[in-house]
Amino acid sequence: MSKKIKPYQGAAGGWGALASTTRFVLGSKKPAANIRNLLRANQVKGFDCPGCAWGDEQGKHFSFCENGAKAISWEATRHQVTPAFFRQHPVSQLRQQSDYFLEYQGRIEQPMYLNRETDHYEPISWHDAFALISQHLNRLEHPDQLELYTSGRASNEAAYLYQLFGRSVGTNNFPDCSNLCHEASGVALSRAIGVGKGTVTLQDFDRADAIFVFGQNPGTNHPRMLHSLRNASRRGAAIVSVNNLKERGLERFADPQSPAEMLTTKDSTISSLYLCPRLGGDMALVRGMVKLLLEWDAEATRRNEPGLLDRAFIAEHTQGLEDYIAIVAATPWQQIEQQSGLSRNEIEQAAKVYASAGRVICTWAMGITQHKHSVATIREITNLQLLRGQLGKPGAGLCPVRGHSNVQGNRTVGINEQPSSEFIDRLEAHFKTPMPRQPGHNAVAAIQAMLDGKSKVFIALGGNIAAAAPDTHVTAEALANCDLTVQISTKLNRSHLMAGREALILPCLGRTEADVQAGGPQFITVEDSFSMVHASQGVGKPNSPHQRSETAIIAGMAQATLGDKPVNWLDLADDYNRIREHIAATLPGFENVNERLQQPGGFYLGNSAADYHWQTASGKANFSAEALPEQLLPASAEGEPVSVLQTLRSHDQYNTTIYGMNDRYRGVYGQRMVLFMHTDEMRRRSLHEGDEVEIISLWHDGAERRVGGFKVVAYDIPDGNVAAYYPETNPLVPLHSTGDDSHTPTSKSIAVLIRRQASQRIV
């Protein structure tokens, strides 16, 4: 594979996306089946794409994107990881392989058990696998020695059964992938408006006058969002992109499903204004916008003209404005400009767009949520929207865009280490059994508990925690310290190789595959970023007769461990309607769920804040009066310049799944070990494009965290900020460098030293 750096000149989407889609469909070795799969993706009576949590547009015959096609083809591959493969490859040898190599081998064909004496995984029956799990769980000294990890890929039915299993055992230890990514949104919004979800629907993007996109790269991470942004831009809505790097998907987009854009050189401009603040400088930017809005509002009042603030909304629905105005007034422009890295003129341009728009959506993703002060930043964005009543009306609101296709649904149905007392009350009343009430472990706390020997069994419902979690070597040590690790997976990944003293791999069906149980063909449900719940039914033939659905696997573990308490688990796995009946009985908003799912497109769960019902302690929406961070740089070093690193995905990647070695829109081909850097910083460091460097992170625990072999690439990024791909740079993220109140790893804000690779140092 040729390695090169070649700037990409085309728009996002277009022929490049079509060519990439074709390549991956053919590469699956099942092209005809995968073409059929793509035509059923995100369709009524079809399956929900496992690629992202963006909402489905009703009535579209083609409702998939390039990265969705990669996810579908990657899952529905002909390649299999059989017992013969494991006989050929010892675990110690597989650890030396790349993540791309591991997942490229294909689907896990049958249950496997790690034989420590031979260093090989060996076949095990489902019965014996469940019996082994039961033995370990029933000899725990306390239920909190169990950690139940969840990936956002899991369905509502599987996640609900999983949380019921864990709570029936007696623990609230539900570390979740959202702990690593999106937790700040839930914490901030719950405190501000009483619900930890976005307030908008997909249709609101068709009505907004302005859309502010903070810390997102939709061209790679949720490409279907580009359709909504393209349509908004074309009808005249202003789109302001606020992102640390210049991303092609936020600049220009050619819709692969538009003949006019595919047959001509025509494409759509996405952003009318593009701002690149320093890493972590988004809060200062918004503070500056508010400072200007308050000044302009005061001037209008003095002239007896209509003001900019929605005073009626503020008076009826909010509290805390006076304290917030005081903290804004006390924030000097010098601090705002220095911290944001933007000039007052640039901030004023954004404020003018906001002030002139009747209906505004603010949307964000992990560029906002993975900082130390992420919760405060999201509260600041919410403050901005509250000032002008930009909630609860068509075309306006708050929109955190989740990653995995059901990460929001998992939380809705109970995957939460800190469940509300109301939720536990409902479970206890319905299932007539006591449930644990003490808070459990989030992802970081779970890793520490395993590291300390306090947690003995780790079960993962999907995901790849060894690659996804921070402090890679520490996470691997934590997993190895367990008595048993269980990975419910579709494909081989890094976590299978960082195993406990005993280890199981349990192969499950994918989203694209038909799920047939004793009660007949089954469908599952998922919830998107807009609180829409809809059915998903796989259509393809399972890769192996030994694979089971996630729901059936959970039921098998539970039945072996608990018997029929508090339910007949196997009976629920026979017919998922029965699981949904329990969901309806215990979760508000899911009443008559089986009947409502017959509606094309599913049903809307609703949002209390969008209805001006504030489920906060005050009964109002709360302004937050918080000073800007004292500093953005998380650490310093004497006598050596410190940069701030963010980890990010390539275009041929979804979370920890590496589809290929290209990052087309950033002009990187055939490689992943690159470090994006501003040309001025390269010059100060006497570095040239292609020079190899090592990266050392700074943290106060004295541990050495270092990765090497990264090639410098010049990029349009603020001076002093650098970027590189994960999971290659996850070893640099300290386990306990987490966001205030969210406990999310600060993967977008890592203090690092950059040194020329030893073999290249100039003497």
Side-chain angles (χ1 to χ4, degrees):
M1 184 179 296
S2 174
K3 295 182 180 181
K4 62 182 179 180
I5 304 296
K6 183 180 179 181
Y8 188 72
Q9 303 300 330
W15 287 105
L18 187 61
S20 176
T21 298
T22 303
R23 185 170 62 255
F24 276 91
V25 168
L26 294 176
S28 71
K29 306 301 181 183
K30 295 171 64 176
N34 273 321
I35 290 171
R36 289 195 297 271
N37 283 343
L38 290 173
L39 295 177
R40 297 292 296 274
N42 303 313
Q43 300 292 330
V44 176
K45 302 299 183 181
F47 61 88
D48 189 76
C49 176
C52 75
W54 193 250
D56 297 340
E57 294 183 55
Q58 297 304 307
K60 291 193 67 173
H61 296 295
F62 302 99
S63 189
F64 60 87
C65 64
E66 174 190 350
N67 277 12
K70 292 175 186 176
I72 290 167
S73 300
W74 199 247
E75 178 178 282
T77 176
R78 192 183 298 276
H79 299 297
Q80 285 189 331
V81 179
T82 64
F85 173 88
F86 284 115
R87 285 194 298 271
Q88 182 181 355
H89 298 284
V91 169
S92 56
Q93 180 193 84
L94 289 172
R95 285 198 196 104
Q96 308 307 313
Q97 301 296 328
S98 69
D99 295 273
Y100 173 73
F101 171 89
L102 295 175
E103 297 224 21
Y104 187 76
Q105 302 313 305
R107 297 287 297 279
I108 305 293
E109 194 260 349
Q110 65 185 81
M112 305 299 294
Y113 171 79
L114 178 57
N115 186 329
R116 285 289 178 187
E117 292 185 2
T118 65
D119 193 31
H120 287 268
Y121 272 103
E122 300 173 352
I124 186 173
S125 70
W126 281 106
H127 176 274
D128 289 348
F130 292 149
L132 179 64
I133 294 169
S134 172
Q135 291 169 15
H136 277 274
L137 295 186
N138 284 318
R139 70 181 182 218
L140 292 176
E141 297 171 359
H142 190 279
D144 284 339
Q145 291 181 325
L146 168 64
E147 303 289 350
L148 293 163
Y149 181 75
T150 317
S151 161
R153 184 196 69 200
S155 68
N156 287 330
E157 291 73 17
Y160 185 83
L161 211 61
Y162 198 53
Q163 66 83 28
L164 181 60
F165 169 46
R167 293 189 167 107
S168 299
V169 170
T171 186
N172 280 319
N173 286 350
F174 290 103
D176 180 40
C177 65
S178 64
N179 299 148
L180 302 175
C181 304
H182 298 281
E183 196 70 38
S185 295
V187 172
L189 293 177
S190 294
R191 292 177 181 177
I193 60 175
V195 59
K197 301 181 182 183
T199 66
V200 303
T201 66
L202 184 59
Q203 291 69 38
D204 286 318
F205 281 79
D206 296 330
R207 302 168 181 170
D209 299 313
I211 302 169
F212 281 71
V213 182
F214 291 93
Q216 286 180 261
N217 177 19
T220 288
N221 299 334
H222 19 79
R224 284 188 296 144
M225 183 179 181
L226 289 181
H227 292 277
S228 298
L229 296 179
R230 165 193 178 269
N231 293 340
S233 175
R234 287 199 154 195
R235 64 174 173 77
I239 297 175
V240 178
S241 292
V242 181
N243 198 65
N244 183 249
L245 291 83
K246 282 291 180 71
E247 301 288 14
R248 183 52 48 86
L250 289 171
E251 295 176 314
R252 292 185 288 127
F253 174 60
D255 188 349
Q257 297 176 24
S258 168
E261 294 186 18
M262 293 297 287
L263 297 176
T264 68
T265 58
K266 187 177 182 181
D267 55 48
S268 297
T269 298
I270 297 298
S271 300
S272 53
L273 177 63
Y274 201 130
L275 301 176
C276 293
R278 290 186 177 136
L279 281 170
D282 305 85
M283 183 179 179
L285 162 62
V286 178
R287 177 65 53 87
M289 290 173 61
V290 170
K291 200 172 180 72
L292 289 166
L293 290 172
L294 293 176
E295 289 178 7
W296 298 339
D297 179 77
E299 291 173 6
T301 301
R302 284 194 295 270
R303 294 194 300 264
N304 292 319
E305 297 175 355
L308 293 175
L309 306 190
D310 189 334
R311 287 181 167 78
F313 174 87
I314 291 169
E316 183 178 356
H317 294 292
T318 74
Q319 72 163 17
L321 177 62
E322 294 79 10
D323 290 341
Y324 178 56
I325 288 177
I327 200 73
V328 172
T331 308
W333 270 108
Q334 181 181 5
Q335 184 184 18
I336 290 171
E337 291 182 285
Q338 186 277 327
Q339 200 163 104
S340 69
L342 301 170
S343 68
R344 179 166 175 169
N345 179 61
E346 289 174 306
I347 297 172
E348 186 170 332
Q349 291 180 61
K352 285 180 177 177
V353 173
Y354 189 88
S356 63
R359 302 169 189 271
V360 181
I361 292 174
C362 287
T363 177
W364 65 89
M366 289 193 295
I368 295 295
T369 62
Q370 290 185 318
H371 293 273
K372 178 174 171 56
H373 58 285
S374 291
V375 170
T377 299
I378 296 167
R379 293 294 302 271
E380 190 74 10
I381 293 171
T382 307
N383 288 343
L384 175 69
Q385 292 288 74
L386 292 177
L387 283 172
R388 301 192 65 222
Q390 294 287 4
L391 276 82
K393 59 185 181 182
L398 297 160
C399 180
V401 180
R402 315 291 182 173
H404 258 315
S405 64
N406 198 41
V407 67
Q408 184 161 302
N410 283 187
R411 183 57 57 91
T412 297
V413 302
I415 300 298
N416 189 341
E417 76 278 3
Q418 298 187 63
S420 68
S421 58
E422 293 81 8
F423 176 66
I424 298 298
D425 288 344
R426 291 192 297 269
L427 289 182
E428 288 185 339
H430 180 70
F431 292 105
K432 311 245 178 334
T433 190
M435 299 282 175
R437 292 178 178 269
Q438 72 280 6
H441 294 153
N442 58 32
V444 169
I447 293 168
Q448 188 63 56
M450 292 187 290
L451 196 64
D452 294 340
K454 295 178 180 178
S455 291
K456 304 292 186 181
V457 177
F458 176 84
I459 302 177
L461 178 59
N464 180 9
I465 192 172
D471 236 341
T472 305
H473 303 301
V474 173
T475 298
E477 184 181 346
L479 291 170
N481 207 30
C482 290
D483 291 338
L484 174 69
T485 55
V486 181
Q487 305 286 340
I488 302 170
S489 308
T490 57
K491 305 186 83 173
L492 187 63
N493 67 47
R494 183 70 51 191
S495 295
H496 303 147
L497 313 177
M498 307 302 178
R501 296 177 184 91
E502 291 194 275
L504 292 166
I505 305 174
L506 304 181
C508 64
L509 298 177
R511 185 76 62 80
T512 62
E513 291 159 343
D515 180 357
V516 181
Q517 302 296 330
Q522 304 296 314
F523 67 86
I524 59 170
T525 61
V526 297
E527 178 187 348
D528 63 28
S529 287
F530 303 104
S531 299
M532 289 294 300
V533 177
H534 54 271
S536 173
Q537 188 165 12
V539 295
K541 182 180 179 181
N543 186 272
S544 162
H546 301 292
Q547 294 160 353
R548 295 190 178 184
S549 73
E550 290 178 321
T551 304
I553 294 171
I554 296 163
M557 293 190 300
Q559 193 75 31
T561 304
L562 300 169
D564 287 341
K565 298 178 181 178
V567 293
N568 184 321
W569 301 92
L570 299 182
D571 185 61
L572 295 182
D574 285 344
D575 186 346
Y576 298 173
N577 282 333
R578 296 167 186 163
I579 302 174
R580 289 187 283 271
E581 288 169 1
H582 288 299
I583 292 175
T586 54
L587 290 175
F590 284 87
E591 297 81 7
N592 302 315
V593 60
N594 284 318
E595 292 77 14
R596 294 162 71 194
L597 285 169
Q598 302 309 311
Q599 307 171 46
F603 63 92
Y604 178 50
L605 275 178
N607 184 284
S608 55
D611 295 331
Y612 295 166
H613 175 53
W614 315 104
Q615 298 185 58
T616 60
S618 67
K620 303 268 190 177
N622 299 313
F623 281 95
S624 171
E626 191 160 341
L628 295 182
E630 291 185 8
Q631 61 177 16
L632 294 182
L633 195 64
S636 60
E638 292 185 9
E640 192 168 355
V642 178
S643 297
V644 182
L645 168 74
Q646 66 166 314
T647 70
L648 41 71
R649 300 171 181 167
S650 77
H651 191 62
D652 276 355
Q653 174 180 1
Y654 188 73
N655 290 346
T656 59
T657 302
I658 312 299
Y659 301 126
M661 305 303 287
N662 297 337
D663 191 359
R664 185 171 76 250
Y665 297 151
R666 298 191 183 110
V668 178
Y669 297 90
Q671 57 193 313
R672 291 180 53 83
M673 301 293 284
V674 298
L675 180 67
F676 299 106
M677 184 182 294
H678 193 281
T679 53
D680 288 347
E681 182 167 8
M682 290 171 57
R683 189 160 44 248
R684 285 197 307 275
R685 293 177 178 274
S686 299
L687 292 172
H688 300 89
E689 190 145 28
D691 285 351
E692 285 198 6
V693 296
E694 56 183 0
I695 313 169
I696 305 99
S697 68
L698 301 174
W699 190 242
H700 54 66
D701 61 2
E704 182 180 80
R705 297 177 176 88
R706 179 191 303 256
V707 295
F710 284 77
K711 291 185 178 180
V712 173
V713 173
Y715 205 79
D716 192 349
I717 185 172
D719 192 2
N721 292 169
V722 294
Y725 303 129
Y726 72 83
E728 289 84 353
T729 49
N730 280 4
L732 299 172
V733 186
L735 180 64
H736 294 291
S737 177
T738 58
D740 296 337
D741 299 325
S742 71
H743 308 289
T744 296
T746 58
S747 299
K748 296 290 187 289
S749 183
I750 310 159
V752 296
L753 304 177
I754 299 168
R755 296 173 181 166
R756 186 181 296 273
Q757 198 74 37
S759 60
Q760 293 191 101
R761 284 182 185 156
I762 298 174
V763 180

